[in-house]
Amino acid sequence: MSGKRGFRGVVLVGFMGSGKTSVGKEIARRLGVPFEDVDDRVVAAAGMTVAEIFASRGEPAFRELERKAIREAVAVPGQVIATGGGAFLDEGNRKALKAYAAVVFLDVSRDSVVARLAGDRSRPLLSGRSRGLSARERDRRIEELMRRRRAAYELADFTVETDAGTVEQVAERVLALVAGGKPSGTAPDAHGGGGRRA
Ligand code: S3P
C-alpha cells in the first residue's frame, strides 16, 4: 500500500539528537505528506511527557507504549515516521518499520550529540539530575549507549551522515537516497551495515 502519488513513506531511526524529528518534518513538508512522531504519539496516549512516563511507570512501560504507537503509525501508508532513539532496538519494531518503508539511519557523532543535547532535560536516559550524573558521566553514558546501539541502527536500509549540513541538506540527502528505492537484497534484519550511505 502507498500514500500520496505512490509514496510508501520513510522511517527515520538513530540516536537521540541525530535530528530525526526536524529532518522528518522537513521531508514531510517538501513532499506534502503527513509527519508522524512516535514519541508524540506515546505522549498523547499516556497523557504525560516521556520523562514522566519513565519516572512514574518505568522504561518497560514506555517501551510497550512505543511498540503500540509504532503499530498504529505503520497502519497509515505514505507518512514520514520519526522514531525515538530506542525504538529500532526492538526486533518487532524493526520488522514493522522495515516492512512499512525505507528505513534511514541518521548517523551522528558522539561530539555532536553531546553539543546538541547540552542542557536538555527531556531525555530520561541521559538526564543528569534524576540519575545523579555529572556532565562527564553523562557524556560517557552517551558514548556507551551509542556504541551498544550502533549494530541495531545499521540494520536500516540507508545511512545518512548528519554531523555536517543543515536540516534542509540532510533532508535532501535522505530524499536522494530513498528516491532510488530500497537497496535490493535487504531481507528484514539482514545485516547490511546500514545500506547505502550519503
Ligand atoms: C529514547 C529516545 C527518545 C525517547 C526516550 C527514549 C532512547 O527519543 O524515545 O527518551 O531510548 O534513545 P529521541 O531519540 O527522539 O530523543
Side-chain angles (χ1 to χ4, degrees):
M1 254 212 300
S2 54
K4 193 177 169 184
R5 291 191 302 272
F7 173 69
R8 266 183 82 184
V10 180
V11 178
L12 302 178
V13 304
F15 202 72
M16 295 170 261
S18 59
K20 301 177 297 287
T21 300
S22 42
V23 170
K25 281 184 181 163
E26 174 63 15
I27 294 171
R29 190 189 65 76
R30 284 183 189 220
L31 296 177
V33 301
F35 171 70
E36 173 71 47
D37 187 279
V38 172
D39 277 343
D40 285 352
R41 189 173 270 275
V42 168
V43 166
M48 34 180 160
T49 66
V50 170
E52 286 165 352
I53 301 168
F54 268 72
S56 67
R57 298 170 61 182
E59 182 172 352
F62 172 81
R63 297 299 172 199
E64 191 50 49
L65 289 165
E66 187 176 52
R67 277 191 286 274
K68 184 163 181 284
I70 287 173
R71 280 199 301 274
E72 290 167 1
V74 299
V76 182
Q79 306 184 100
V80 179
I81 300 179
T83 59
F88 207 57
L89 275 65
D90 177 275
E91 194 187 347
N93 289 344
R94 275 204 301 273
K95 281 192 179 141
L97 293 166
K98 292 192 85 165
Y100 179 75
V103 178
V104 182
F105 165 34
L106 296 189
D107 199 1
V108 63
S109 68
R110 185 206 81 119
D111 288 354
S112 293
V113 172
V114 167
R116 290 178 194 178
L117 299 189
D120 176 86
R121 293 278 170 271
S122 67
R123 270 102 169 170
L125 292 178
L126 303 177
S127 108
R129 257 182 308 172
S130 62
R131 301 188 146 244
L133 299 178
S134 69
R136 183 185 290 177
E137 283 166 341
R138 186 177 192 263
D139 294 357
R140 258 198 246 119
R141 170 132 182 93
I142 289 173
E143 191 168 331
E144 183 204 317
L145 266 180
M146 288 182 87
R147 196 173 41 238
R148 284 214 310 252
R149 291 177 166 190
R150 186 156 194 98
Y153 294 148
E154 287 186 344
L155 296 169
D157 301 306
F158 301 101
T159 299
V160 169
E161 310 290 340
T162 70
D163 278 337
T166 61
V167 167
E168 290 75 18
Q169 286 165 335
V170 174
E172 259 163 45
R173 283 179 217 152
V174 172
L175 284 168
L177 274 178
V178 302
K182 279 202 185 210
S184 58
T186 48
D189 259 21
H191 195 289
R196 266 196 294 141
R197 302 177 74 89

